[in-house]
Short mmCIF file of all heavy atoms in Angstrom, two decimals:
data_model
loop_
_atom_site.label_atom_id
_atom_site.label_comp_id
_atom_site.label_asym_id
_atom_site.label_seq_id
_atom_site.Cartn_x
_atom_site.Cartn_y
_atom_site.Cartn_z
N MET A 25 0.84 -1.19 0.00
CA MET A 25 0.00 0.00 0.00
C MET A 25 0.88 1.24 0.00
O MET A 25 2.09 1.16 0.13
CB MET A 25 -0.92 0.00 1.21
CG MET A 25 -0.21 0.20 2.53
SD MET A 25 -1.39 0.21 3.90
CE MET A 25 -0.26 0.24 5.26
N ILE A 26 0.24 2.37 -0.12
CA ILE A 26 0.96 3.63 -0.14
C ILE A 26 0.18 4.62 0.72
O ILE A 26 -1.05 4.57 0.78
CB ILE A 26 1.13 4.12 -1.60
CG1 ILE A 26 2.01 5.33 -1.68
CG2 ILE A 26 -0.19 4.41 -2.27
CD1 ILE A 26 2.49 5.61 -3.10
N ARG A 27 0.91 5.47 1.42
CA ARG A 27 0.27 6.48 2.26
C ARG A 27 0.53 7.86 1.66
O ARG A 27 1.66 8.19 1.31
CB ARG A 27 0.81 6.42 3.69
CG ARG A 27 0.38 5.17 4.43
CD ARG A 27 0.84 5.21 5.87
NE ARG A 27 0.52 3.97 6.56
CZ ARG A 27 -0.61 3.74 7.19
NH1 ARG A 27 -1.54 4.68 7.22
NH2 ARG A 27 -0.84 2.60 7.79
N ILE A 28 -0.53 8.64 1.58
CA ILE A 28 -0.48 9.96 0.97
C ILE A 28 -0.77 11.02 2.02
O ILE A 28 -1.72 10.89 2.80
CB ILE A 28 -1.55 10.08 -0.14
CG1 ILE A 28 -1.31 9.06 -1.25
CG2 ILE A 28 -1.63 11.49 -0.68
CD1 ILE A 28 -0.16 9.38 -2.15
N SER A 29 0.05 12.05 2.04
CA SER A 29 -0.22 13.21 2.90
C SER A 29 0.00 14.48 2.09
O SER A 29 0.90 14.53 1.24
CB SER A 29 0.70 13.23 4.12
OG SER A 29 0.42 12.16 4.98
N VAL A 30 -0.81 15.47 2.35
CA VAL A 30 -0.67 16.77 1.67
C VAL A 30 -0.31 17.82 2.71
O VAL A 30 -0.98 17.96 3.73
CB VAL A 30 -1.98 17.16 0.95
CG1 VAL A 30 -1.83 18.54 0.32
CG2 VAL A 30 -2.34 16.13 -0.10
N ASP A 31 0.76 18.55 2.44
CA ASP A 31 1.17 19.65 3.30
C ASP A 31 0.30 20.85 2.97
O ASP A 31 0.44 21.47 1.92
CB ASP A 31 2.65 19.97 3.07
CG ASP A 31 3.18 21.03 4.02
OD1 ASP A 31 2.38 21.88 4.47
OD2 ASP A 31 4.39 21.00 4.29
N ARG A 32 -0.63 21.17 3.87
CA ARG A 32 -1.59 22.25 3.58
C ARG A 32 -0.92 23.62 3.49
O ARG A 32 -1.48 24.54 2.89
CB ARG A 32 -2.68 22.24 4.65
CG ARG A 32 -3.57 21.00 4.55
CD ARG A 32 -4.54 20.89 5.72
NE ARG A 32 -5.39 19.73 5.60
CZ ARG A 32 -5.02 18.50 5.93
NH1 ARG A 32 -3.81 18.28 6.36
NH2 ARG A 32 -5.85 17.49 5.79
N ASP A 33 0.23 23.76 4.09
CA ASP A 33 0.95 25.04 3.99
C ASP A 33 1.56 25.22 2.60
O ASP A 33 1.78 26.35 2.16
CB ASP A 33 2.05 25.13 5.04
CG ASP A 33 1.48 25.25 6.45
OD1 ASP A 33 0.36 25.78 6.59
OD2 ASP A 33 2.16 24.81 7.39
N LYS A 34 1.84 24.11 1.93
CA LYS A 34 2.44 24.19 0.59
C LYS A 34 1.39 24.18 -0.51
O LYS A 34 1.64 24.69 -1.61
CB LYS A 34 3.39 23.01 0.37
CG LYS A 34 4.68 23.09 1.18
CD LYS A 34 5.59 21.93 0.83
CE LYS A 34 6.91 22.00 1.57
NZ LYS A 34 7.77 20.85 1.24
N CYS A 35 0.23 23.58 -0.27
CA CYS A 35 -0.79 23.48 -1.31
C CYS A 35 -1.29 24.86 -1.71
O CYS A 35 -1.70 25.65 -0.86
CB CYS A 35 -1.96 22.62 -0.82
SG CYS A 35 -3.31 22.52 -2.02
N MET A 36 -1.24 25.14 -3.01
CA MET A 36 -1.67 26.43 -3.54
C MET A 36 -2.92 26.31 -4.39
O MET A 36 -3.31 27.25 -5.09
CB MET A 36 -0.54 27.06 -4.37
CG MET A 36 0.69 27.42 -3.57
SD MET A 36 0.32 28.77 -2.43
CE MET A 36 1.28 28.30 -1.00
N GLY A 37 -3.52 25.13 -4.38
CA GLY A 37 -4.78 24.95 -5.10
C GLY A 37 -4.63 24.77 -6.60
O GLY A 37 -5.56 25.08 -7.35
N HIS A 38 -3.51 24.26 -7.05
CA HIS A 38 -3.33 24.03 -8.49
C HIS A 38 -4.25 22.94 -9.04
O HIS A 38 -4.52 22.92 -10.23
CB HIS A 38 -1.87 23.66 -8.79
CG HIS A 38 -0.90 24.77 -8.51
ND1 HIS A 38 -0.89 25.95 -9.22
CD2 HIS A 38 0.08 24.88 -7.57
CE1 HIS A 38 0.07 26.74 -8.74
NE2 HIS A 38 0.67 26.11 -7.74
N ALA A 39 -4.65 22.03 -8.18
CA ALA A 39 -5.61 20.98 -8.52
C ALA A 39 -5.11 19.96 -9.53
O ALA A 39 -5.87 19.15 -10.04
CB ALA A 39 -6.93 21.58 -9.01
N ARG A 40 -3.84 19.97 -9.83
CA ARG A 40 -3.31 19.00 -10.80
C ARG A 40 -3.38 17.58 -10.26
O ARG A 40 -3.55 16.62 -11.02
CB ARG A 40 -1.87 19.36 -11.17
CG ARG A 40 -1.77 20.65 -11.94
CD ARG A 40 -0.37 20.90 -12.40
NE ARG A 40 -0.22 22.26 -12.93
CZ ARG A 40 0.92 22.75 -13.35
NH1 ARG A 40 2.02 22.03 -13.32
NH2 ARG A 40 0.97 23.98 -13.81
N CYS A 41 -3.23 17.45 -8.95
CA CYS A 41 -3.32 16.11 -8.36
C CYS A 41 -4.67 15.48 -8.67
O CYS A 41 -4.75 14.32 -9.08
CB CYS A 41 -3.09 16.19 -6.85
SG CYS A 41 -4.15 17.38 -5.98
N ALA A 42 -5.73 16.25 -8.48
CA ALA A 42 -7.08 15.74 -8.71
C ALA A 42 -7.39 15.57 -10.19
O ALA A 42 -8.20 14.72 -10.57
CB ALA A 42 -8.10 16.66 -8.06
N MET A 43 -6.76 16.37 -11.03
CA MET A 43 -6.97 16.21 -12.48
C MET A 43 -6.34 14.91 -12.97
O MET A 43 -6.90 14.21 -13.80
CB MET A 43 -6.40 17.41 -13.24
CG MET A 43 -7.27 18.64 -13.16
SD MET A 43 -6.73 19.95 -14.28
CE MET A 43 -5.46 20.72 -13.31
N VAL A 44 -5.16 14.60 -12.44
CA VAL A 44 -4.44 13.39 -12.86
C VAL A 44 -5.06 12.15 -12.23
O VAL A 44 -5.23 11.12 -12.89
CB VAL A 44 -2.95 13.50 -12.48
CG1 VAL A 44 -2.23 12.18 -12.68
CG2 VAL A 44 -2.28 14.60 -13.30
N SER A 45 -5.43 12.24 -10.97
CA SER A 45 -5.95 11.07 -10.24
C SER A 45 -7.18 11.46 -9.42
O SER A 45 -7.13 11.51 -8.18
CB SER A 45 -4.86 10.52 -9.31
OG SER A 45 -3.72 10.15 -10.04
N PRO A 46 -8.30 11.72 -10.09
CA PRO A 46 -9.50 12.18 -9.38
C PRO A 46 -10.09 11.14 -8.45
O PRO A 46 -10.84 11.50 -7.54
CB PRO A 46 -10.47 12.52 -10.53
CG PRO A 46 -9.99 11.69 -11.68
CD PRO A 46 -8.50 11.61 -11.52
N ASP A 47 -9.76 9.89 -8.66
CA ASP A 47 -10.28 8.85 -7.78
C ASP A 47 -9.52 8.78 -6.46
O ASP A 47 -9.95 8.10 -5.53
CB ASP A 47 -10.23 7.49 -8.49
CG ASP A 47 -8.91 7.23 -9.17
OD1 ASP A 47 -8.16 8.20 -9.42
OD2 ASP A 47 -8.60 6.07 -9.47
N ILE A 48 -8.41 9.48 -6.36
CA ILE A 48 -7.60 9.44 -5.15
C ILE A 48 -7.57 10.79 -4.44
O ILE A 48 -7.73 10.87 -3.23
CB ILE A 48 -6.16 8.99 -5.48
CG1 ILE A 48 -6.19 7.57 -6.03
CG2 ILE A 48 -5.25 9.11 -4.25
CD1 ILE A 48 -4.87 7.08 -6.55
N PHE A 49 -7.38 11.87 -5.21
CA PHE A 49 -7.22 13.19 -4.60
C PHE A 49 -8.53 13.97 -4.67
O PHE A 49 -9.09 14.13 -5.76
CB PHE A 49 -6.10 13.96 -5.31
CG PHE A 49 -4.75 13.35 -5.10
CD1 PHE A 49 -4.24 12.46 -6.03
CD2 PHE A 49 -4.00 13.65 -3.98
CE1 PHE A 49 -2.99 11.87 -5.85
CE2 PHE A 49 -2.75 13.08 -3.79
CZ PHE A 49 -2.26 12.19 -4.72
N GLN A 50 -8.97 14.42 -3.51
CA GLN A 50 -10.17 15.25 -3.45
C GLN A 50 -9.77 16.69 -3.14
O GLN A 50 -8.74 16.95 -2.53
CB GLN A 50 -11.12 14.74 -2.37
CG GLN A 50 -11.80 13.42 -2.72
CD GLN A 50 -10.97 12.22 -2.34
OE1 GLN A 50 -10.44 12.18 -1.24
NE2 GLN A 50 -10.84 11.26 -3.23
N LEU A 51 -10.63 17.60 -3.59
CA LEU A 51 -10.40 19.03 -3.35
C LEU A 51 -11.52 19.58 -2.48
O LEU A 51 -12.65 19.08 -2.51
CB LEU A 51 -10.36 19.79 -4.68
CG LEU A 51 -9.37 19.31 -5.73
CD1 LEU A 51 -9.51 20.14 -7.00
CD2 LEU A 51 -7.93 19.37 -5.22
N ASP A 52 -11.20 20.64 -1.74
CA ASP A 52 -12.26 21.30 -0.98
C ASP A 52 -12.98 22.30 -1.89
O ASP A 52 -12.69 22.41 -3.08
CB ASP A 52 -11.71 21.95 0.30
CG ASP A 52 -10.75 23.10 0.02
OD1 ASP A 52 -10.73 23.62 -1.12
OD2 ASP A 52 -10.03 23.49 0.96
N GLU A 53 -13.93 23.03 -1.33
CA GLU A 53 -14.75 23.93 -2.14
C GLU A 53 -13.95 25.08 -2.75
O GLU A 53 -14.41 25.74 -3.69
CB GLU A 53 -15.92 24.48 -1.31
CG GLU A 53 -15.51 25.35 -0.14
CD GLU A 53 -15.17 24.54 1.11
OE1 GLU A 53 -15.09 23.30 1.03
OE2 GLU A 53 -14.96 25.17 2.17
N ASN A 54 -12.73 25.29 -2.25
CA ASN A 54 -11.88 26.36 -2.79
C ASN A 54 -10.81 25.82 -3.74
O ASN A 54 -9.97 26.58 -4.22
CB ASN A 54 -11.22 27.12 -1.64
CG ASN A 54 -12.24 27.84 -0.78
OD1 ASN A 54 -13.11 28.54 -1.30
ND2 ASN A 54 -12.17 27.65 0.52
N GLY A 55 -10.82 24.51 -3.98
CA GLY A 55 -9.89 23.93 -4.92
C GLY A 55 -8.57 23.48 -4.32
O GLY A 55 -7.64 23.14 -5.05
N TYR A 56 -8.50 23.49 -3.01
CA TYR A 56 -7.29 23.01 -2.35
C TYR A 56 -7.45 21.53 -2.02
O TYR A 56 -8.57 21.04 -1.80
CB TYR A 56 -7.03 23.80 -1.06
CG TYR A 56 -6.59 25.21 -1.31
CD1 TYR A 56 -7.52 26.20 -1.61
CD2 TYR A 56 -5.25 25.57 -1.25
CE1 TYR A 56 -7.13 27.51 -1.85
CE2 TYR A 56 -4.85 26.88 -1.48
CZ TYR A 56 -5.80 27.84 -1.79
OH TYR A 56 -5.40 29.12 -2.03
N ALA A 57 -6.32 20.83 -1.97
CA ALA A 57 -6.38 19.41 -1.65
C ALA A 57 -7.01 19.20 -0.28
O ALA A 57 -6.67 19.90 0.68
CB ALA A 57 -4.97 18.81 -1.69
N ASP A 58 -7.90 18.25 -0.22
CA ASP A 58 -8.62 17.96 1.02
C ASP A 58 -8.51 16.47 1.28
O ASP A 58 -9.37 15.69 0.89
CB ASP A 58 -10.08 18.39 0.89
CG ASP A 58 -10.83 18.25 2.19
OD1 ASP A 58 -10.18 18.18 3.24
OD2 ASP A 58 -12.08 18.22 2.17
N MET A 59 -7.41 16.08 1.92
CA MET A 59 -7.12 14.68 2.17
C MET A 59 -6.84 14.47 3.65
O MET A 59 -6.24 15.33 4.29
CB MET A 59 -5.86 14.25 1.40
CG MET A 59 -5.94 14.43 -0.09
SD MET A 59 -6.89 13.14 -0.87
CE MET A 59 -5.84 11.72 -0.55
N PRO A 60 -7.26 13.33 4.18
CA PRO A 60 -6.83 13.02 5.55
C PRO A 60 -5.32 12.74 5.55
O PRO A 60 -4.76 12.31 4.54
CB PRO A 60 -7.63 11.76 5.89
CG PRO A 60 -7.99 11.16 4.58
CD PRO A 60 -8.10 12.29 3.60
N ASP A 61 -4.68 13.03 6.67
CA ASP A 61 -3.25 12.73 6.77
C ASP A 61 -3.05 11.22 6.69
O ASP A 61 -3.84 10.44 7.22
CB ASP A 61 -2.69 13.24 8.10
CG ASP A 61 -2.61 14.76 8.12
OD1 ASP A 61 -2.53 15.36 7.04
OD2 ASP A 61 -2.64 15.33 9.22
N ASP A 62 -1.99 10.83 6.00
CA ASP A 62 -1.65 9.41 5.85
C ASP A 62 -2.80 8.60 5.28
O ASP A 62 -3.11 7.50 5.75
CB ASP A 62 -1.20 8.82 7.19
CG ASP A 62 0.14 9.37 7.64
OD1 ASP A 62 0.98 9.64 6.77
OD2 ASP A 62 0.34 9.53 8.85
N ALA A 63 -3.45 9.15 4.26
CA ALA A 63 -4.52 8.42 3.58
C ALA A 63 -3.94 7.16 2.95
O ALA A 63 -2.90 7.20 2.28
CB ALA A 63 -5.16 9.30 2.52
N VAL A 64 -4.60 6.04 3.16
CA VAL A 64 -4.10 4.76 2.66
C VAL A 64 -4.65 4.52 1.26
O VAL A 64 -5.86 4.61 1.02
CB VAL A 64 -4.51 3.61 3.58
CG1 VAL A 64 -4.12 2.27 2.97
CG2 VAL A 64 -3.86 3.79 4.95
N VAL A 65 -3.76 4.22 0.32
CA VAL A 65 -4.13 3.91 -1.06
C VAL A 65 -3.73 2.46 -1.32
O VAL A 65 -2.58 2.09 -1.09
CB VAL A 65 -3.43 4.86 -2.05
CG1 VAL A 65 -3.77 4.50 -3.48
CG2 VAL A 65 -3.77 6.31 -1.74
N PRO A 66 -4.63 1.64 -1.78
CA PRO A 66 -4.28 0.24 -2.03
C PRO A 66 -3.30 0.09 -3.18
O PRO A 66 -3.16 0.97 -4.04
CB PRO A 66 -5.64 -0.41 -2.35
CG PRO A 66 -6.55 0.69 -2.71
CD PRO A 66 -6.05 1.93 -2.03
N ASP A 67 -2.62 -1.06 -3.21
CA ASP A 67 -1.58 -1.29 -4.22
C ASP A 67 -2.10 -1.14 -5.64
O ASP A 67 -1.36 -0.73 -6.53
CB ASP A 67 -0.99 -2.68 -4.02
CG ASP A 67 -0.01 -2.72 -2.86
OD1 ASP A 67 0.54 -1.66 -2.53
OD2 ASP A 67 0.18 -3.81 -2.29
N GLY A 68 -3.35 -1.48 -5.87
CA GLY A 68 -3.89 -1.38 -7.22
C GLY A 68 -3.95 0.04 -7.75
O GLY A 68 -4.09 0.25 -8.96
N GLN A 69 -3.85 1.02 -6.87
CA GLN A 69 -3.90 2.42 -7.29
C GLN A 69 -2.57 3.13 -7.04
O GLN A 69 -2.49 4.35 -7.10
CB GLN A 69 -5.01 3.15 -6.53
CG GLN A 69 -6.41 2.67 -6.88
CD GLN A 69 -7.46 3.43 -6.11
OE1 GLN A 69 -7.49 3.38 -4.89
NE2 GLN A 69 -8.31 4.15 -6.81
N ARG A 70 -1.53 2.36 -6.82
CA ARG A 70 -0.23 2.92 -6.48
C ARG A 70 0.29 3.87 -7.57
O ARG A 70 0.74 4.98 -7.28
CB ARG A 70 0.78 1.80 -6.26
CG ARG A 70 2.20 2.28 -5.98
CD ARG A 70 3.15 1.09 -5.95
NE ARG A 70 2.83 0.20 -4.85
CZ ARG A 70 3.64 0.02 -3.80
NH1 ARG A 70 4.79 0.63 -3.74
NH2 ARG A 70 3.30 -0.80 -2.84
N VAL A 71 0.24 3.43 -8.81
CA VAL A 71 0.78 4.25 -9.90
C VAL A 71 -0.01 5.55 -10.02
O VAL A 71 0.58 6.63 -10.17
CB VAL A 71 0.76 3.46 -11.22
CG1 VAL A 71 1.15 4.36 -12.39
CG2 VAL A 71 1.71 2.28 -11.15
N ARG A 72 -1.31 5.46 -9.92
CA ARG A 72 -2.13 6.67 -10.01
C ARG A 72 -1.82 7.63 -8.87
O ARG A 72 -1.80 8.85 -9.06
CB ARG A 72 -3.61 6.30 -9.99
CG ARG A 72 -4.05 5.41 -11.14
CD ARG A 72 -4.04 6.13 -12.45
NE ARG A 72 -5.07 7.16 -12.49
CZ ARG A 72 -5.38 7.87 -13.55
NH1 ARG A 72 -4.73 7.65 -14.67
NH2 ARG A 72 -6.30 8.78 -13.50
N ALA A 73 -1.60 7.09 -7.69
CA ALA A 73 -1.27 7.94 -6.54
C ALA A 73 0.07 8.65 -6.76
O ALA A 73 0.20 9.85 -6.50
CB ALA A 73 -1.22 7.10 -5.27
N LEU A 74 1.03 7.92 -7.26
CA LEU A 74 2.35 8.52 -7.50
C LEU A 74 2.29 9.54 -8.63
O LEU A 74 2.95 10.58 -8.57
CB LEU A 74 3.38 7.42 -7.82
CG LEU A 74 3.70 6.48 -6.65
CD1 LEU A 74 4.63 5.36 -7.13
CD2 LEU A 74 4.33 7.24 -5.49
N GLU A 75 1.50 9.26 -9.65
CA GLU A 75 1.34 10.22 -10.74
C GLU A 75 0.69 11.51 -10.24
O GLU A 75 1.10 12.61 -10.62
CB GLU A 75 0.50 9.62 -11.86
CG GLU A 75 1.22 8.54 -12.65
CD GLU A 75 0.34 7.85 -13.67
OE1 GLU A 75 -0.89 7.96 -13.60
OE2 GLU A 75 0.92 7.17 -14.55
N GLY A 76 -0.33 11.36 -9.40
CA GLY A 76 -0.98 12.55 -8.84
C GLY A 76 -0.03 13.35 -7.97
O GLY A 76 0.00 14.58 -8.04
N ALA A 77 0.75 12.66 -7.17
CA ALA A 77 1.71 13.34 -6.30
C ALA A 77 2.77 14.07 -7.12
O ALA A 77 3.13 15.21 -6.84
CB ALA A 77 2.37 12.34 -5.36
N ALA A 78 3.24 13.41 -8.18
CA ALA A 78 4.28 14.00 -9.02
C ALA A 78 3.77 15.21 -9.80
O ALA A 78 4.56 16.07 -10.22
CB ALA A 78 4.84 12.96 -9.98
N ALA A 79 2.46 15.29 -10.00
CA ALA A 79 1.89 16.39 -10.78
C ALA A 79 1.82 17.69 -10.01
O ALA A 79 1.58 18.75 -10.59
CB ALA A 79 0.48 16.00 -11.24
N CYS A 80 2.04 17.64 -8.72
CA CYS A 80 1.93 18.86 -7.90
C CYS A 80 3.17 19.73 -8.08
O CYS A 80 4.27 19.33 -7.72
CB CYS A 80 1.77 18.51 -6.43
SG CYS A 80 1.72 19.99 -5.39
N PRO A 81 3.02 20.94 -8.61
CA PRO A 81 4.19 21.80 -8.83
C PRO A 81 4.78 22.37 -7.54
O PRO A 81 5.91 22.85 -7.55
CB PRO A 81 3.64 22.92 -9.72
CG PRO A 81 2.19 22.97 -9.41
CD PRO A 81 1.78 21.56 -9.09
N GLU A 82 4.02 22.29 -6.47
CA GLU A 82 4.50 22.80 -5.18
C GLU A 82 5.18 21.74 -4.35
O GLU A 82 5.66 22.03 -3.24
CB GLU A 82 3.33 23.39 -4.37
CG GLU A 82 2.52 24.45 -5.09
CD GLU A 82 3.31 25.70 -5.38
OE1 GLU A 82 4.33 25.94 -4.71
OE2 GLU A 82 2.92 26.44 -6.31
N ARG A 83 5.22 20.52 -4.86
CA ARG A 83 5.78 19.39 -4.09
C ARG A 83 5.11 19.30 -2.72
O ARG A 83 5.78 19.09 -1.70
CB ARG A 83 7.29 19.53 -3.93
CG ARG A 83 8.02 19.66 -5.25
CD ARG A 83 8.47 18.31 -5.73
NE ARG A 83 9.30 18.40 -6.92
CZ ARG A 83 8.91 17.99 -8.12
NH1 ARG A 83 7.72 17.48 -8.29
NH2 ARG A 83 9.71 18.09 -9.15
N ALA A 84 3.80 19.45 -2.70
CA ALA A 84 3.06 19.46 -1.45
C ALA A 84 2.64 18.08 -0.99
O ALA A 84 2.17 17.92 0.13
CB ALA A 84 1.82 20.34 -1.60
N ILE A 85 2.79 17.09 -1.88
CA ILE A 85 2.28 15.76 -1.59
C ILE A 85 3.42 14.80 -1.27
O ILE A 85 4.38 14.70 -2.03
CB ILE A 85 1.47 15.21 -2.79
CG1 ILE A 85 0.34 16.18 -3.13
CG2 ILE A 85 0.93 13.82 -2.49
CD1 ILE A 85 -0.36 15.87 -4.44
N THR A 86 3.27 14.12 -0.16
CA THR A 86 4.23 13.08 0.22
C THR A 86 3.56 11.73 0.02
O THR A 86 2.44 11.51 0.46
CB THR A 86 4.63 13.24 1.71
OG1 THR A 86 5.20 14.52 1.90
CG2 THR A 86 5.64 12.16 2.10
N ALA A 87 4.25 10.84 -0.67
CA ALA A 87 3.75 9.50 -0.90
C ALA A 87 4.79 8.51 -0.41
O ALA A 87 5.94 8.54 -0.86
CB ALA A 87 3.48 9.28 -2.40
N VAL A 88 4.39 7.69 0.55
CA VAL A 88 5.32 6.73 1.15
C VAL A 88 4.82 5.32 0.85
O VAL A 88 3.70 4.95 1.23
CB VAL A 88 5.43 6.95 2.68
CG1 VAL A 88 6.34 5.90 3.29
CG2 VAL A 88 5.92 8.35 2.98
N CYS A 89 5.65 4.53 0.17
CA CYS A 89 5.29 3.15 -0.12
C CYS A 89 5.63 2.27 1.08
O CYS A 89 6.67 2.45 1.71
CB CYS A 89 6.06 2.65 -1.34
SG CYS A 89 5.66 3.54 -2.87
N GLU A 90 4.74 1.36 1.40
CA GLU A 90 4.97 0.46 2.54
C GLU A 90 4.87 -0.98 2.09
O GLU A 90 4.26 -1.27 1.10
CB GLU A 90 3.94 0.73 3.63
CG GLU A 90 4.06 2.15 4.20
CD GLU A 90 3.10 2.38 5.35
OE1 GLU A 90 2.22 1.54 5.60
OE2 GLU A 90 3.26 3.41 6.02
FE1 F3S B 129 -2.52 21.44 -3.98
FE2 F3S B 129 -0.60 20.49 -5.43
FE3 F3S B 129 -2.95 19.39 -5.58
S1 F3S B 129 -0.94 22.62 -5.01
S2 F3S B 129 -4.39 21.01 -5.09
S3 F3S B 129 -1.63 19.43 -3.78
S4 F3S B 129 -1.59 19.82 -7.27
#
């Protein structure tokens, strides 16, 4: 599995994470990432999670493989 966290201080609302992987990354009503800390993503969605994390120009997303 993989754990995803978004640094809310770094997120600027670019929304690229949700555009690339809408099934994993949710946005709040203002377009900022709205994820629980250490959100668990199953192995079947690992690539999508990493693609969404890599799409963030602010490097606000941390993805840790376990
Ligand atoms: Fe925020 Fe980066 Fe997504 S700035 S909305 S975490 S692409």
Side-chain angles (χ1 to χ4, degrees):
M25 69 179 173
I26 187 165
R27 290 185 185 271
I28 298 286
S29 293
V30 177
D31 185 332
R32 292 173 179 80
D33 291 332
K34 289 184 178 179
C35 177
M36 295 293 143
H38 294 294
R40 293 186 190 177
C41 53
M43 283 190 276
V44 170
S45 302
D47 47 341
I48 297 172
F49 294 94
Q50 289 87 46
L51 305 178
D52 66 16
E53 64 276 8
N54 296 311
Y56 290 80
D58 186 19
M59 301 282 294
D61 289 335
D62 291 326
V64 174
V65 178
D67 283 335
Q69 294 180 298
R70 176 187 295 247
V71 173
R72 299 290 292 186
L74 293 175
E75 288 174 343
C80 177
E82 305 295 339
R83 303 267 186 249
I85 303 170
T86 301
V88 177
C89 296
E90 297 184 351

